[in-house]
Amino acid sequence: MPTSTESEAARKFGFTHGQVIQEFYYDEDVDMALRESIEALTGEELADEEFSDTTDAAMIWWRSEDADEDDLVDLLMDASANLDDGGDIWVMTPKAGRSGHVAVADVEDAATTAGMHASASVDAAKDWIAMRLVVRAPGV
């Protein structure tokens, strides 16, 4: 059961009850308490990478060893494919000093290449920071 601090972190993402959140690059190092608090808040299990229906948001767990910036661009494009209009992508990266840390600039560069921009960051969990990416409006 998530603690009140973990539930508060889940609320920072702006998720609401009934939303479907698709998760990418799940691995054994993800923050399970945060995942559980998101599921408790939305009332839905996180959808896996194979989910092909419309989603309200996407959450990507990204580490430096996962691949290079071009691969993140591809993943951002894949994650946006199922998003309902106005849906956000949250890129979770290990915090500075943690194994697998990714520079903010690397995520921002990948987002720009994918036609997105970073609009916020959240101290998501003990070892993870999250960057909110939104799709750029045409002509921007």
Side-chain angles (χ1 to χ4, degrees), residues 13-14 48 52 81 86 88 90 95 120 131-132:
F13 290 91
D48 67 18
S52 61
D88 297 324
W90 288 91
K95 290 180 178 177
M131 291 181 62
R132 178 180 174 227

Side-chain angles (χ1 to χ4, degrees), residues 2-66:
T3 66
S4 62
T5 302
E6 291 156 351
S7 295
E8 180 181 321
R11 279 193 222 72
K12 290 180 186 178
F13 290 91
F15 300 148
T16 59
H17 187 76
Q19 286 188 312
V20 176
I21 314 301
Q22 188 171 19
E23 179 180 46
F24 295 83
Y25 276 45
Y26 170 89
D27 205 345
E28 63 188 32
D29 65 342
V30 303
D31 191 282
M32 293 303 291
L34 177 60
R35 292 180 79 254
E36 291 169 6
S37 68
I38 291 169
E39 289 177 340
L41 183 67
T42 62
E44 303 286 337
E45 288 187 22
L46 292 171
D48 67 18
E49 294 179 31
E50 303 303 317
F51 189 78
S52 61
D53 205 351
T54 303
T55 62
D56 298 295
M59 190 167 81
I60 298 171
W61 301 91
W62 188 257
R63 309 141 192 92
S64 61
E65 62 271 9
D66 285 332

Side-chain angles (χ1 to χ4, degrees), residues 57-136:
M59 190 167 81
I60 298 171
W61 301 91
W62 188 257
R63 309 141 192 92
S64 61
E65 62 271 9
D66 285 332
D68 63 24
E69 189 177 309
D70 289 337
D71 293 317
L72 180 54
V73 171
D74 292 341
L75 183 56
L76 291 173
M77 298 301 291
D78 290 346
S80 67
N82 292 345
L83 279 182
D84 195 12
D85 288 340
D88 297 324
I89 296 176
W90 288 91
V91 179
M92 312 282 294
T93 59
K95 290 180 178 177
R98 308 303 201 284
S99 175
H101 172 69
V102 177
V104 169
D106 292 344
V107 176
E108 289 175 340
D109 289 347
T112 299
T113 302
M116 303 173 191
H117 69 277
S119 67
S121 64
V122 170
D123 184 8
K126 178 183 171 221
D127 294 322
W128 296 88
I129 191 89
M131 291 181 62
R132 178 180 174 227
L133 305 181
V134 295
V135 177
R136 290 182 193 270

